[in-house]
Amino acid sequence: MDYLETLNPSQRAAVEQLNGPVMIVAGAGSGKTRVLTYRIVHMLKHDVDPFQILSLTFTNKAAKEMRHRIYAAVGSEARNLWMGTFHSIFSRILRQESERIGYPRNFTIYDSDDSKSLIKTLLGELKLDDKLYKPSNMLGRISSAKNALITAEQYMGNSEFEENDASSGRPKFGHLFKAYQDRCFRAGAMDFDDLLVNTHKLFSNHLDVLHKYQHMFRYIMVDEFQDTNHAQYMIIKKLAAVHENVAVVGDDAQSIYAFRGANIRNILGFQKDFPDVKTFKLEQNYRSTQTIVNASSSIIEKNKDQIKKKVWTSNEPGERIRVFKALTDNEEGKMVASAIFQDKMNSQALNKDFAILYRTNAQSRSMEEALRKLNIPYKIYGGLSFYQRKEVKDLLAYYRLVLNPNDEEALKRIINYPTRGIGKTSLEKIAIVADQHKVSMWQVMEQIGQIGFKNMAAVEDFVTMIKSFRVMLENNAYEVAMHIAKSSGVLKSLYEDKTVEGIARYENTEELLNGIKEFSLEEIVDDEGVVKSRTLADFMADVALLTNDDKDKDPDQDHVSLMTIHSSKGLEYKYVHIVGLEENLFPSQLALNSRQELEEERRLFYVALTRAMKKLTLSFATSRFKFGNIVNSEPSRFLSELDPQFLHFENMFGARGNLSEQRDGPSRTGGTMSGLPKKVLTFTKPQPRAAVSQAPVDPNFEADDTSNLAVGMKVEHQRFGAGIVSVMEGNGDNRKATIDFESSGKKVLVLKFAKLKIK
């Protein structure tokens, strides 16, 4: 097996250990992705069914890269793996099972803008001060509670939480949390945290569903395990409880997302939950010079909470790490830009070989100004992504509403776009009636003719239009998407704007439709082997889970990358500048309240150091502008914690020792309106669905060899029953049969996956 020969002994041992609980502690640059990839390849080579492998990642990019590598090694089997981000995999499960917990299958996934919009609406309804109850802060607190699996009801019933809210001047937070959850449920919507919470709820309350997925996923792998939160880990534990073939891969030294709910205790305490775990340490670094590896180790060893390992490399020793001191942040920017210019000239390096990393986004200003003055092209990493642009979000809102008419955030966004004469007053009237009956605005709009409101013809026309779109939902994704874009008037409105900005908006919308076209050309095969065309629902499920992928980024463009250290995780550059190494900036002043917080800042510094491959430069300023005033700064404690043998101080008064010497119940509108209906309306409300009884599958059903299957043959499928083959097409693994089943109608099956008996 050639792929095993490319691994070092530690990597190979981790790849070959397939059964039982496994923890792979992967140091920075140690070939973690290679091990993950080959572990799955090794499973497939040992006849593990790809449908029984669940591989969880944190980014779409990581999942895509792994799938590509596996596909290159084993071919088309790779497409049958359950591989993706936590949110995409759990969304896929919920699409199948959500009715069990009272949600429609085509539930909407709210992004942060949708959630923030809803919070703002609720603050108005509850008459709460949005300066005290800042929407972004409130969403953060709701997210933290959900990641800890605390429901709104549990939160409101907890006296400690109530006391903390009262002392912070926000005694109504629990009510806001409850109202937010109720409104999401009524709209058939889940936010990203709900994808975790509701999966846990589904598995906890419906043991038959849990049992189904426990037996489906015989092998589970989790990438970046140090970044998992409580909810994610609890779901993993439930899924792995039967077979215990769970492998977690991560590095406690790179756990830097506590602010997002990541719990380092998951990796530090994994052995307590799985006492039989086999631990493998990947300690050889293939990325960086010996100097960078050793300096990084000298800083992270200061942390108390860690899994001990000795990272090493056989790479060249490399240059010592340069340390620059500047008088001001502007001077720091000039020094960094000048150093980049010099390194480019001396080493014939490209702009894309360089990265500037900082603790906070605000630090980019001085760097940008200095780079511009030297005509060095740069790009801020993590800028506005393609799917966050207004024109793209507008058209996506149409698609969301067609799939789920109860999605109020989508409804409010596009009900009067393009302009169709539905004003704010009409919406407020509809909203009040919806609140009175505890239903969605769409349900009221469907009965608008019976309510007796005046001048609502435009609303009736809008409802008719959306319903006409819904009739097409089972058609090809692109066909439906283009029809909606044209018939809604969106494309016409954008095309008529001939300004530079208008043309760009039209081109972005065109690019979205191009993407849907490309998406729709791929066929999907379900677990039964049935070939299906991709629908608009499939596309929207994909789009909703994109994690700020920058569609407009040209990977070949030659520019210096500027980003926060948090954004740099997983990346590598030949030349790295870490700027702003000052006390109260890095480490952050907000992270000095406990040892745990300080250790996370130290891990963040470790992540920054280990991004560098060839040359690393650190810098700090002795003064910095804050709110218009110059504030003196001290060098970061992290500089003195680095082993000085790996450092070279420049413009530091000529002496290495000088560094230490420098350091001493209301309506939605909040009121009443005239002209409201007196008539009592009746609405159906979502209810949890009971377990669906399915025809039992015969456990003794044995499929026949279908290599000689031909048109006219009679066959039997364990779920679809008896049928006759009407069409045969394709060769090898791609052979397909169109079969007319007596009870299930016509279906196209991929014979490699379809289990058939020949009569």
Side-chain angles (χ1 to χ4, degrees):
M1 297 182 181
D2 293 340
Y3 63 93
L4 292 177
E5 300 302 321
T6 67
L7 303 172
N8 66 39
S10 298
Q11 292 173 331
R12 180 164 181 164
V15 165
E16 292 182 319
Q17 182 64 48
L18 297 185
N19 295 315
V22 171
M23 180 164 68
I24 302 170
V25 182
S30 62
K32 170 176 67 76
T33 303
R34 174 186 289 260
V35 170
L36 280 168
T37 301
Y38 286 156
R39 205 165 188 278
I40 294 176
V41 170
H42 199 60
M43 289 180 191
L44 296 175
K45 295 283 189 182
H46 284 75
D47 298 323
V48 174
D49 187 339
F51 284 105
Q52 294 183 328
I53 300 174
L54 171 63
S55 180
L56 296 166
T57 65
F58 271 84
T59 66
N60 290 309
K61 179 183 176 183
K64 187 176 181 180
E65 180 183 351
M66 282 180 58
R67 191 182 294 275
H68 177 75
R69 291 192 189 187
I70 295 166
Y71 197 97
V74 299
S76 60
E77 276 189 297
R79 68 182 179 184
N80 300 322
L81 297 165
W82 280 68
M83 176 182 289
T85 63
F86 281 88
H87 293 94
S88 67
I89 293 294
F90 296 160
S91 168
R92 183 175 169 185
I93 291 172
L94 287 169
R95 293 285 175 198
Q96 297 298 316
E97 314 289 350
S98 58
E99 291 174 344
R100 299 290 292 274
I101 55 175
Y103 283 86
R105 285 203 175 188
N106 279 335
F107 61 83
T108 297
I109 299 176
Y110 278 178
D111 64 14
S112 57
D113 286 346
D114 298 318
S115 295
K116 192 175 291 186
S117 173
L118 177 53
I119 288 289
K120 289 177 180 177
T121 299
L122 292 170
L123 290 175
E125 294 178 19
L126 296 169
K127 299 188 185 325
L128 297 176
D129 184 354
D130 61 2
K131 293 182 176 60
L132 185 60
Y133 293 84
K134 291 183 178 178
S136 56
N137 290 349
M138 296 303 98
L139 277 177
R141 295 182 69 179
I142 290 172
S143 178
S144 295
K146 289 182 178 180
N147 287 332
L149 295 177
I150 299 170
T151 66
E153 290 79 8
Q154 290 170 332
Y155 190 97
M156 292 183 70
N158 187 299
S159 59
E160 184 179 345
F161 293 154
E162 289 181 356
E163 290 173 9
N164 289 339
D165 289 340
S167 63
S168 68
R170 302 178 184 88
K172 295 292 185 182
F173 171 73
H175 295 277
L176 179 63
F177 185 4
K178 180 69 164 60
Y180 174 80
Q181 278 307 103
D182 289 347
R183 192 65 59 78
C184 284
F185 181 74
R186 193 189 307 171
M190 300 185 198
D191 62 23
F192 266 41
D193 296 315
D194 286 330
L195 296 177
L196 305 180
V197 172
N198 286 331
T199 301
H200 184 267
K201 178 181 178 182
L202 177 71
F203 289 162
S204 298
N205 297 347
H206 300 276
L207 297 182
D208 59 322
V209 177
L210 174 61
H211 183 266
K212 169 184 172 182
Y213 289 99
Q214 283 175 332
H215 286 80
M216 178 184 295
F217 302 134
R218 295 182 63 87
Y219 293 88
I220 300 171
M221 289 207 304
V222 185
D223 189 15
E224 303 288 6
F225 186 62
Q226 77 279 351
D227 294 335
T228 53
N229 60 36
H230 178 65
Q232 288 164 331
Y233 186 40
M234 293 305 293
I235 296 170
I236 293 164
K237 280 178 65 177
K238 285 180 180 295
L239 286 173
V242 172
H243 300 292
E244 289 202 345
N245 295 327
V246 54
V248 299
V249 186
D251 183 7
D252 58 293
Q254 298 185 66
S255 179
I256 60 173
Y257 294 118
F259 68 97
R260 293 184 189 169
N263 187 350
I264 193 174
R265 297 292 162 193
N266 291 346
I267 191 168
L268 295 178
F270 186 72
Q271 189 168 0
K272 293 179 182 177
D273 290 325
F274 295 92
D276 298 329
V277 65
K278 289 183 170 60
T279 301
F280 302 90
K281 296 181 180 180
L282 308 183
E283 297 173 306
Q284 183 175 359
N285 180 297
Y286 292 93
R287 175 187 297 155
S288 308
T289 65
Q290 292 178 23
T291 296
I292 293 170
V293 168
N294 293 336
S296 304
S297 297
S298 76
I299 191 78
I300 201 61
E301 69 183 14
K302 305 291 192 299
N303 274 8
K304 179 179 177 182
D305 293 335
Q306 62 174 295
I307 299 171
K308 293 292 184 182
K309 57 183 175 297
K310 182 63 177 175
V311 179
W312 61 279
T313 184
S314 59
N315 292 342
E316 63 181 1
E319 299 181 31
R320 283 190 294 171
I321 299 169
R322 295 183 297 178
V323 182
F324 286 148
K325 169 194 156 200
L327 295 177
T328 66
D329 51 345
N330 282 338
E331 185 183 65
E332 182 186 31
K334 293 174 184 176
M335 292 169 65
V336 169
S338 177
I340 290 174
F341 185 84
Q342 290 298 326
D343 282 335
K344 282 178 58 182
M345 296 300 103
N346 296 338
S347 303
Q348 299 299 302
L350 301 173
N351 291 312
K352 64 182 179 182
D353 294 331
F354 294 84
I356 302 174
L357 310 182
Y358 33 76
R359 181 65 180 82
T360 66
N361 276 306
Q363 292 170 253
S364 73
R365 180 194 58 81
S366 58
M367 300 297 142
E368 291 185 70
E369 289 182 2
L371 291 169
R372 279 199 297 267
K373 287 177 181 176
L374 290 182
N375 292 318
I376 298 175
Y378 67 89
K379 187 170 184 67
I380 303 289
Y381 190 92
L384 193 64
S385 79
F386 179 81
Y387 288 102
Q388 294 300 317
R389 294 173 183 173
K390 179 186 180 301
E391 59 275 12
V392 174
K393 286 181 76 81
D394 287 341
L395 190 48
L396 290 176
Y398 266 101
Y399 300 157
R400 283 169 47 179
L401 188 68
V402 172
L403 286 165
N404 175 14
N406 293 319
D407 182 349
E408 290 190 6
E409 295 306 311
L411 175 68
K412 288 186 289 187
R413 185 180 185 100
I414 52 89
I415 192 170
N416 200 39
Y417 171 72
T419 303
R420 53 176 58 91
I422 303 176
K424 182 180 178 182
T425 301
S426 297
L427 283 179
E428 287 177 344
K429 289 180 178 180
I430 294 167
I432 291 173
V433 176
D435 259 2
Q436 288 174 343
H437 292 273
K438 303 299 181 188
V439 295
S440 68
M441 293 173 66
W442 173 262
Q443 288 173 284
V444 174
M445 290 164 59
E446 283 185 301
Q447 299 193 37
I448 203 74
Q450 303 173 36
I451 293 176
F453 283 143
K454 295 180 180 179
N455 304 319
M456 288 288 183
V459 173
E460 290 183 288
D461 291 342
F462 179 80
V463 169
T464 301
M465 179 181 71
I466 297 299
K467 285 184 173 180
S468 73
F469 295 157
R470 284 178 59 77
V471 172
M472 302 177 63
L473 278 178
E474 292 306 311
N475 294 10
N476 175 275
Y478 177 74
E479 180 185 333
V480 181
M482 179 56 85
H483 177 75
I484 293 172
K486 288 181 176 178
S487 300
S488 63
V490 169
L491 280 184
K492 182 174 184 291
S493 174
L494 290 169
Y495 183 77
E496 289 173 348
D497 184 354
K498 297 301 182 182
T499 64
V500 174
E501 295 81 4
I503 293 171
R505 284 192 289 268
Y506 182 80
E507 289 173 347
N508 287 334
T509 308
E510 185 180 41
E511 183 58 30
L512 172 62
L513 291 164
N514 290 341
I516 299 175
K517 176 69 173 179
E518 184 178 355
F519 177 88
S520 70
L521 293 176
E522 292 185 36
E523 292 180 332
I524 54 175
V525 181
D526 68 12
D527 297 355
E528 301 287 352
V530 179
V531 178
K532 298 180 178 179
S533 63
R534 290 187 152 190
T535 64
L536 188 62
D538 294 327
F539 176 78
M540 291 303 292
D542 258 25
V543 166
L545 295 160
L546 285 176
T547 52
N548 288 333
D549 291 335
D550 286 336
K551 290 290 183 180
D552 57 340
K553 276 190 178 175
D554 178 1
D556 297 321
Q557 185 180 350
D558 188 27
H559 56 253
V560 174
S561 296
L562 277 68
M563 70 192 80
T564 64
I565 301 167
H566 282 102
S567 297
S568 75
K569 190 164 177 290
L571 304 176
E572 59 184 29
Y573 297 89
K574 291 180 180 177
Y575 302 85
V576 171
H577 287 260
I578 306 173
V579 301
L581 277 162
E582 298 143 35
E583 280 294 297
N584 299 323
L585 181 55
F586 194 17
S588 168
Q589 186 174 10
L590 301 175
L592 300 178
N593 299 316
S594 68
R595 178 176 59 81
Q596 288 77 15
E597 290 177 343
L598 179 59
E599 289 197 354
E600 172 132 344
E601 287 289 292
R602 193 176 284 115
R603 292 193 294 269
L604 187 61
F605 185 44
Y606 175 80
V607 166
L609 294 170
T610 55
R611 298 313 93 198
M613 302 168 68
K614 181 178 179 181
K615 194 169 185 177
L616 179 60
T617 305
L618 313 177
S619 60
F620 67 95
T622 58
S623 64
R624 193 172 288 270
F625 273 100
K626 290 185 179 178
F627 301 106
N629 299 315
I630 293 180
V631 177
N632 292 329
S633 308
E634 291 186 2
S636 168
R637 68 187 71 191
F638 295 154
L639 287 172
S640 59
E641 288 179 356
L642 284 166
D643 189 330
Q645 68 173 305
F646 304 118
L647 306 180
H648 174 69
F649 294 99
E650 300 192 11
N651 67 337
M652 299 287 289
F653 307 106
R656 191 171 294 168
N658 284 347
L659 176 64
S660 59
E661 293 169 13
Q662 294 176 61
R663 293 191 67 242
D664 301 304
S667 73
R668 298 182 192 222
T669 57
T672 59
M673 296 182 64
S674 60
L676 293 180
K678 308 297 184 202
K679 181 177 178 179
V680 177
L681 304 175
T682 57
F683 300 93
T684 58
K685 298 183 180 179
Q687 296 294 330
R689 175 173 61 88
V692 177
S693 59
Q694 295 180 334
V697 176
D698 182 4
N700 299 316
F701 186 96
E702 292 184 6
D704 293 331
D705 179 10
T706 56
S707 57
N708 295 318
L709 194 68
V711 172
M713 284 187 174
K714 294 182 179 180
V715 296
E716 182 183 352
H717 187 277
Q718 59 178 340
R719 193 172 299 282
F720 303 136
I724 298 176
V725 179
S726 60
V727 179
M728 293 291 301
E729 56 184 313
N731 297 300
D733 288 348
N734 296 319
R735 287 185 77 221
K736 301 175 191 172
T738 302
I739 302 173
D740 291 322
F741 290 103
E742 294 173 2
S743 58
S744 306
K746 185 177 291 187
K747 295 189 182 297
V748 180
L749 302 180
V750 176
L751 294 181
K752 180 179 178 181
F753 304 113
K755 296 177 180 179
L756 299 171
K757 276 185 180 178
I758 300 176
K759 292 188 170 182

